[in-house]
Amino acid sequence: MPDHDIEAQTLKALVHTGHDHVFIVDADGQVLDVSPGSAAVYGMSREALCETTVYELEARGVLSPSVSLEVIRTGQPAQVMQRTGTGRQVIAEAHPVYAGGRLVRVISRSMDMTDLRLLQDEYALLQRRFNEHLKRGGSPTAGEALELESLEVRSQVMHEVAQLLKRVAPTDATVLMLGESGVGKTAFARQLHRWSRRCEGAFVDVNCAAIPESLFESEMFGYQPGAFSGAARMGKAGLLEQAHKGTLFLDEIGELPLAMQSKLLNVIQDGYLTRLGDTRSRRVDFRLVVATNQDLARCVEEGRFRLDLYYRLNVIPVTLPPLRERREDIPGLAERQLARLNQRYGMDKVLHPRVWPELMGGDWQGNVRELENWLERAWLSAEGGVIGAPVDESHEGGAGLSAPASTAAVHGAGSPLVEGRTLREALAAVEAEILADLAARLPSTYAIAARLGISQPSVVRKLRRHGLKVATRES
């Protein structure tokens, strides 16, 4: 068989067996061939399509718009969101074919996104109904009780976000987390993984902005021995393979290089990948969660992000609001970070009451990350056991806030820091003294928590640790 016949048969097999809907058009817009599955999407038989032009199809509303016609007009590759004559919504992309510097063919392919959009619309409707239920005073049922582990969620808006994630966790639907840098997208992605049926698998956290573009393919897809100079002797499984049976979290997805966007899309669609230097495809099965602080729709308009990948990722969008819009979460976040710092550095420092107005009133442009960094700087710069205590607060008549009992005890003549007692022991004694005084005077652990600026569960734990009880029985 001559070579040109072999090539023709190969092309025919590609067009007729592919999952996507393929059009081959000449430079005049005449349809030369289409894949058989196109008939159901575009509402015309293969024979009828091949007897017309893309100009006529666009004029009749069969292609609205025609991506092939856009390529003929511009001579450049194009990608559009297209509505067909049958009411289907597809993503279509087309590429020019040149011979001797002249446009001779346009090859286009489209993917039907209608079912995905219907799923998104149905989910959005369910979410609106759930939010309306909460606004009417409804609450999650006992079966929906949240176990948030390391997360600190006290505000209503973040409780709703957590409930949303718990409802979608048992599925494999892709989740797109949106929000400013530092709002806690990674923490919520980890919690989503813990709630999922893949919780026994790996949680692979990838920051797309942190991997150099030259290394991206080898890091993501892995490589075989000898694939390139400096490759490990045994080869290496990529991050996609490492996430097999688990969750792959791609942070800063907007920074993903365009070439890698195409390869990632193929893996999402087919479930197979090929390592660098390999000829064998490998099956991968992971749940995809992505996050960004960018406007991906604008990135698509600017040509920096693929439209078809955007629609694949934007199945369940979840927006995490900035910290300044959920200030109720600040006390819990601050308390958690303080506990981490005390454990890390082996001390038991506490926050001075004068710190709380600054914490609660701060703008926190860097969100949770900025709050945690601020607390660590304050912890390290505090000379004593009280963070943010005025230097002169122990002196009579000193300006500023009056010293609480804990600070006065440390600085005053009756300091518990006696010979043979460590700082940790002295601070514990001060804490016990304060709690004993408040437990005798205040009616409940909630009142004590409000007075100290900490959570009620923390008060309960501290009272239990020191063997104390509230004098007045709580209702």
Side-chain angles (χ1 to χ4, degrees):
M1 182 181 292
D3 288 346
H4 67 274
D5 289 340
I6 294 175
E7 291 176 358
Q9 290 298 320
T10 301
L11 177 60
K12 183 177 181 180
L14 286 172
V15 171
H16 287 231
T17 60
H19 294 294
D20 295 339
H21 312 298
V22 180
F23 273 61
I24 300 178
V25 177
D26 67 17
D28 297 322
Q30 177 65 49
V31 180
L32 302 178
D33 199 3
V34 300
S35 57
S38 300
V41 174
Y42 293 99
M44 294 176 63
S45 68
R46 177 174 172 274
E47 291 75 18
L49 287 169
C50 290
E51 291 175 357
T52 186
T53 68
V54 290
Y55 291 95
E56 295 172 4
L57 293 174
E58 185 176 70
R60 292 162 54 186
V62 176
L63 304 175
S64 181
S66 166
V67 69
S68 299
L69 192 52
E70 181 66 18
V71 173
I72 292 173
R73 289 169 180 156
T74 65
Q76 300 294 321
Q79 189 178 68
V80 300
M81 198 67 180
Q82 190 179 77
R83 184 168 291 281
T84 73
T86 59
R88 309 294 289 180
Q89 196 165 33
V90 302
I91 290 178
E93 62 178 348
H95 299 270
V97 178
Y98 289 93
R102 183 172 62 89
L103 179 69
V104 294
R105 295 285 188 273
V106 176
I107 310 294
S108 70
R109 65 187 183 92
S110 62
M111 292 178 291
D112 191 352
M113 304 297 290
T114 307
D115 293 337
L116 177 59
R117 292 304 302 271
L118 290 174
L119 174 64
Q120 291 175 334
D121 292 343
E122 181 181 354
Y123 180 79
L125 176 61
L126 290 173
Q127 184 58 28
R128 284 197 299 271
R129 288 176 178 172
F130 178 74
N131 290 338
E132 290 169 2
H133 170 68
L134 290 177
K135 289 176 182 177
R136 290 195 301 267
S139 60
T141 64
E144 296 178 304
L146 292 174
E147 295 180 5
L148 293 173
E149 299 179 21
S150 62
L151 292 182
E152 285 292 340
V153 172
R154 300 185 186 181
S155 61
Q156 180 67 21
V157 62
M158 293 305 285
H159 188 79
E160 291 175 15
V161 167
Q163 287 285 353
L164 185 158
L165 290 176
K166 188 167 187 181
R167 291 198 303 279
V168 303
T171 74
D172 275 341
T174 299
V175 175
L176 170 62
M177 293 195 173
L178 305 167
E180 296 178 4
S181 179
V183 293
K185 296 187 286 290
T186 301
F188 276 85
R190 287 186 182 277
Q191 185 61 55
L192 176 67
H193 172 70
R194 295 187 192 104
W195 281 329
S196 76
R197 60 185 178 85
R198 298 174 178 269
C199 59
E200 298 299 324
F203 178 84
V204 179
D205 182 0
V206 182
N207 187 330
C208 297
I211 304 177
E213 186 170 351
S214 59
L215 300 177
F216 213 100
E217 186 168 6
S218 62
E219 288 295 313
M220 291 293 289
F221 290 84
Y223 54 84
Q224 289 295 93
F228 52 85
S229 178
R233 287 178 55 192
M234 303 300 293
K236 180 182 177 182
L239 295 167
L240 297 177
E241 276 188 77
Q242 294 174 32
H244 185 61
K245 298 299 182 182
T247 299
L248 176 67
F249 175 57
L250 297 180
D251 198 5
E252 304 293 351
I253 188 69
E255 301 295 333
L256 193 67
L258 276 170
M260 288 300 100
Q261 291 178 25
S262 177
K263 291 180 179 291
L264 175 63
L265 180 63
N266 289 335
V267 175
I268 295 172
Q269 291 178 163
D270 303 333
Y272 287 89
L273 61 79
T274 304
R275 292 184 182 181
L276 282 176
D278 201 359
T279 58
R280 179 171 62 93
S281 295
R282 300 166 186 265
R283 173 72 174 166
V284 287
D285 173 24
F286 53 78
R287 201 272 181 75
L288 183 62
V289 181
V290 300
T292 183
N293 57 9
Q294 299 187 42
D295 183 346
L296 287 186
R298 176 171 294 180
C299 291
V300 170
E301 293 175 2
E302 296 172 353
R304 294 186 290 112
F305 204 85
R306 292 179 62 98
L307 179 63
D308 45 7
L309 179 59
Y310 171 67
Y311 276 98
R312 285 285 179 180
L313 300 180
N314 193 32
V315 179
I316 306 294
V318 177
T319 300
L320 274 63
L323 191 56
R324 58 186 173 276
E325 294 180 9
R326 49 183 176 99
R327 296 184 185 276
E328 308 98 303
D329 293 329
I330 291 177
L333 292 167
E335 183 181 319
R336 184 186 65 180
Q337 176 67 350
L338 187 60
R340 286 174 178 168
L341 295 169
N342 285 335
Q343 183 176 16
R344 183 186 308 165
Y345 298 114
M347 295 182 66
D348 196 12
K349 294 187 180 183
V350 296
L351 289 171
H352 192 285
R354 72 195 297 268
V355 174
W356 285 106
E358 184 173 356
L359 290 177
M360 298 301 294
D363 199 20
W364 303 119
Q365 290 295 324
N367 296 292
V368 178
R369 188 177 297 122
E370 182 185 358
L371 173 66
E372 292 177 346
N373 290 342
W374 186 95
L375 284 166
E376 183 161 11
R377 287 196 302 272
W379 197 102
L380 293 171
S381 61
E383 295 182 1
V386 182
I387 300 171
V391 175
D392 62 347
E393 67 177 352
S394 62
H395 298 290
E396 188 175 350
L401 295 172
S402 60
S406 58
T407 313
V410 171
H411 289 284
S415 171
L417 193 57
V418 297
E419 190 66 25
R421 177 179 281 180
T422 65
L423 177 61
R424 180 188 292 272
E425 292 168 341
L427 290 172
V430 171
E431 183 181 79
E433 203 172 306
I434 295 171
L435 289 170
D437 175 60
L438 294 178
R441 295 188 293 106
L442 296 179
S444 70
T445 53
Y446 290 93
I448 296 174
R451 173 63 182 84
L452 295 176
I454 61 177
S455 69
Q456 188 266 349
S458 292
V459 171
V460 173
R461 288 195 299 270
K462 290 177 184 294
L463 290 173
R464 189 180 299 120
R465 184 191 310 154
H466 296 294
L468 300 171
K469 291 183 179 180
V470 178
T472 306
R473 183 179 297 275
E474 298 186 50
S475 58

